[in-house]
Structures are given as C-alpha cells and as structure tokens.
C-alpha cells in the first residue's frame, strides 16, 4: 500500500518528494482503527526485504571495499530508520508500548543485526578486516581510521537494541584482546633479545600510549580499556620483570650496581 | 484582514532559502493559514516532525492537512499561539474559549497534531 511504497521511496532517497503528513496520517489511522499489528508486521517484512537486498550486495563486495561499504550501509540504514520511525511515531507511542513490541528504530537495529551483520560472509570478513587494519597500524602503516571507527560504533549500537546480544564484546572485543595478547607476546620477546632494559621499557611505554590513543581514536567503549591495558602490562612488563632486572650489563640490577660503585 | 494575509504570504516567499519565519498550514478546503514557524514547532509535536524531517513539508515549508476543516484549523492555530504564550508562564492563564459545537472535532485534531 501507500506505506509500503513510501518505505521503498525512502530507501531510494526520494523522501523529499513524499508528504510526511499523508504517511503519518495513514499509519495514524491504521493504529486508531486497531490495525497496529498489521502495520507493525508489514513494516517489519518490508524492512527485512530491503535488508536482504543489502546483505546480498555486501556478501559480494570484495575485501578492499568491504569496510567502506559496511560503514556506508550503516550510515544509510540509520538515516532511513529515523525517517521511518518519524512516520510511525504514533504507533511507537501507542501500539508498540501496549503490546510490548520493539520500538521501530530498535526493530531496525535488530533486523540489521540478524539479517546483515550475522550473515556469515559479511560479519566475519569485516571483523578480519578490522583486526588486519589494527595489525597494520601496529606495524607502523597508516589505515583509514574513520571506516574502522564507523564499523566499531555500529557494533556497539547493534548490541543495544537487544538485551542479551552484546555484539561488540562477543564478535569483536574477545578476539581483539586475543590477537593483541599474541602480538605483544611475540613483540616483547623479540624486543628483549635486541635491546637494553632501559630501551625496552621506553619502547613498551610508547606502545602502551599508542594503544590508548588508538582505542580512543576508534571510539572503543571505556570497558575495553581496562582489559586492553591489563594485557599490555602483563605481556610487556610483568612476564619479563625478572629478565629486565637480571639482564647482563644493561639489566636494572646491573645498573644499580654500577651506580653504587 | 486579507491585506495581512498577503503581507505574510510575501514574507514567506521571500525568505524560503534559510529557516523562514513562517509556515503555511492548509485546511481540507484549501484555506491557508500562516503562523510563526518556531511557535508551531514548539506547540505541536506532529508539526515538529513534519518541519524538522526530510520530507516534502520540510522542503516547501507548507503543511497540507486534508483531514482538518478550515474552521477547526483556524481554532487550532489560535490554540498553538495560546499554548506557546502561556507554557512556562507564571502569570494568570486565561481560559481558552471553545465553542461546544467545535469541541469534538477540535479534540480529534489536537490528538492528531499532538498538541
């Protein structure tokens, strides 16, 4: 009907041709005449159709463009959902609350998560690309941080619509902390074998600052910072504390001994 | 009275590129009412959605209300001014007069406009 077509037009970025009043009134009258369920289910099905189209495109997008496409798709989805939510505002305030259904905007997040994000060749590849970008930065290369940040912000938003699904933690943070630990475990060993203790500590401190700065630039939630720094501390310092003290000639014990002469 | 309408109409046309001062509300029969845009937005949630969104109304700054008759819309516009004037006011608030024969339609319109 009118609303189904409108949703199509909104997806095609033709909203400025549409009368908000007409669509609002349509939805308003449907709900007023006890057809809220019909409206809600209809909107849900329409959104689902569009998201299925979207995910098909993303699934076929090659790696070099995937982060950009993902980020762009997410921005578009948010813009679209705001418009759809506004048209359906009366339903959100009456039927949705009375029947304890998800608010329209949250419904959009939920469907986006299960239809787009959880599609195997989308979510998994995006995570791999995010981790790869971070690994490249750690090796000294420049990456497109705004893309990564947009996607990471998306993960945090997707988890908010559903009480149980902490998308960011389960899909990204866990594996991010794991790869971080592996990276610094290896790096610390190779640093140690070719540096003085003082030099090592300087490099380790720089790495700590770098990770903090990156977490901030990527808008990682503050709950990630604790575990991240803990891992850095453990892998870079605690594991090698003994070694750092005992290192021949340049270890801290040796330095102290020299000072007291 | 008509002269005032024309003056307001000209003003609306002149300033339509950036945040114009007036919005045009059109009744079912085509009566045009002009009112201060900010007042309309603050007094009616539905109007706020229309003017601050990305649809035609926000582009043209014109709101068609085919379900609201002219004589009701006129009263609504008066009410929106009244509401904006006396919201958050400490002074004594005068009663807003409603002729009984308009009451039901006015109520329906007010519910629709969320004001």
């Amino acid at each position: 009907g009118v609303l189904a077509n409108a949703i199509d037009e909104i997806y095609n970025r033709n909203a400025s041709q549409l009368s908000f009043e007409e669509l609002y009134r349509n939805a308003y009258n449907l709900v007023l005449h006890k057809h809220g369920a019909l409206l809600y289910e209809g909107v849900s099905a329409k959104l689902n159709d569009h998201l299925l189209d979207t995910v098909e495109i993303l699934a076929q997008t090659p790696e070099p463009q995937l982060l950009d496409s993902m980020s762009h798709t997410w921005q578009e989805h948010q813009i679209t959902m705001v418009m759809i939510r506004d048209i359906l505002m009366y339903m959100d305030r009456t039927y949705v609350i009375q029947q304890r259904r998800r608010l329209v905007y949250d419904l959009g997040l939920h469907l986006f998560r299960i239809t787009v994000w959880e599609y195997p060749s989308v979510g998994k590849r995006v995570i791999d690309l995010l981790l790869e970008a971070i690994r490249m930065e750690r090796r000294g290369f420049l990456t497109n941080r705004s893309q990564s940040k947009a996607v990471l912000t998306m993960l945090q938003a997707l988890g908010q619509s559903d009480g149980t699904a902490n998308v960011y933690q389960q899909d990204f943070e866990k594996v991010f902390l794991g790869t971080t630990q592996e990276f610094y475990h290896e790096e610390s060993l190779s640093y140690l074998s070719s540096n003085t203790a003082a030099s090592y500590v300087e490099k380790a401190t720089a790495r700590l600052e770098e990770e903090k700065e990156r977490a901030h630039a990527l808008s990682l939630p503050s709950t990630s910072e604790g575990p991240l720094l803990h891992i850095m501390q453990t892998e870079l310092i605690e594991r090698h504390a003994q070694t750092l003290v005992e290192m021949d000639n340049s270890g801290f014990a040796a330095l102290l001994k020299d000072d007291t002469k | 009275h008509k002269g005032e309408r024309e003056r307001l109409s000209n003003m609306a046309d002149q300033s339509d590129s950036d945040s114009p001062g007036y919005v045009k509300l059109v009744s079912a029969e085509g009566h045009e009412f002009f009112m201060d845009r900010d007042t309309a937005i603050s007094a009616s949630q539905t109007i706020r959605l229309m003017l601050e969104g990305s649809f035609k109304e926000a582009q043209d700054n014109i709101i068609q209300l085919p379900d609201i008759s002219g004589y009701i819309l006129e009263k609504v516009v008066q009410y929106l001014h009244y509401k904006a004037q006396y919201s958050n006011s400490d002074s004594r608030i005068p009663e807003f007069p409603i002729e009984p024969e308009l009451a039901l339609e006015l109520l329906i319109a007010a519910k629709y406009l969320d004001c």
Side-chain angles (χ1 to χ4, degrees), chain B residues 10-96:
Chain B
N10 289 338
M11 283 179 75
D13 287 342
Q14 274 163 19
S15 54
D16 68 356
S17 45
D18 31 84
S19 209
Y22 290 87
V23 58
K24 180 160 85 171
L25 303 172
V26 184
S27 78
E29 304 91 348
H31 299 107
E32 297 180 349
F33 298 86
F34 293 87
M35 67 176 290
D36 179 70
R37 192 173 182 274
D38 290 339
T39 303
I41 286 174
S42 71
S44 159
Q45 288 305 301
T46 307
I47 290 179
R48 187 172 67 86
L49 285 175
M50 292 190 207
L51 294 179
E52 291 185 344
S54 322
F55 293 80
K56 195 162 351 117
E57 287 82 353
Q59 309 291 318
D60 303 339
N61 214 43
I62 300 171
I63 298 179
Q64 306 279 348
L65 294 162
D67 260 15
I68 304 181
S69 300
Y71 58 91
I72 295 295
L73 187 52
E74 184 170 35
K75 204 71 185 174
V76 168
V77 169
Q78 286 171 18
Y79 177 73
L80 294 178
H81 284 110
Y82 167 86
K83 180 177 174 181
Q85 184 179 359
Y86 294 108
S87 290
N88 309 315
S89 163
D90 292 331
S91 61
R92 195 192 133 268
I93 301 174
E95 200 184 303
F96 182 75

Side-chain angles (χ1 to χ4, degrees), chain A residues 109-232:
Chain A
L109 289 179
H110 174 77
L111 291 174
F112 192 91
R113 174 174 71 86
I114 64 179
T115 311
V116 177
W117 177 252
E118 290 180 359
Y119 195 85
S121 64
V122 173
K124 190 178 175 312
R125 286 196 299 145
V126 169
I127 294 287
D128 287 344
L129 287 168
L130 284 173
L131 294 173
E132 178 62 20
I134 291 172
R135 200 173 71 86
M136 293 307 276
E137 277 200 21
R138 285 173 178 158
R139 289 178 53 204
F141 296 96
L142 287 175
T143 66
N144 188 329
R145 274 186 176 179
S146 66
Q147 279 172 16
S148 297
K149 177 175 163 171
V151 175
L152 287 165
T153 308
M154 172 188 82
L155 295 183
Q156 292 168 65
L158 288 179
Q160 275 165 19
S161 70
D162 296 309
T164 54
N166 196 327
V167 182
Y168 168 80
Q169 254 173 24
Q170 286 161 17
D171 293 355
F172 175 78
E173 195 193 52
K174 241 193 240 178
V175 77
F176 164 67
L177 293 176
T179 56
T180 300
Q181 184 172 40
E182 282 164 24
F183 182 84
Y184 285 109
H185 185 84
E186 275 182 44
E187 185 173 89
S188 64
L189 290 173
S190 92
Y191 269 0
L192 270 177
S193 67
S194 50
N195 284 278
T196 63
S199 212
Y200 177 89
V201 170
E202 202 181 298
K203 282 185 197 286
T205 310
R207 276 305 203 184
L208 252 152
E209 285 311 305
E210 182 194 315
E211 290 295 327
K212 267 198 248 179
E213 188 272 331
R214 180 179 307 113
H216 188 253
L218 294 179
S219 287
L220 298 189
S222 54
T223 46
S224 288
E225 198 171 305
L228 176 62
L229 296 180
H230 179 76
I231 285 174
M232 304 285 293

Side-chain angles (χ1 to χ4, degrees), chain A residues 1-26:
Chain A
V2 171
L3 286 164
N5 288 337
I7 291 177
D8 288 337
E9 289 306 324
I10 289 172
Y11 265 98
N12 291 332
R13 294 273 157 270
N14 286 331
S16 60
Q17 313 290 325
L18 302 172
S19 160
F20 181 96
E21 196 278 334
E22 186 187 345
L23 303 172
Y24 182 86
R25 182 166 32 93
N26 256 272

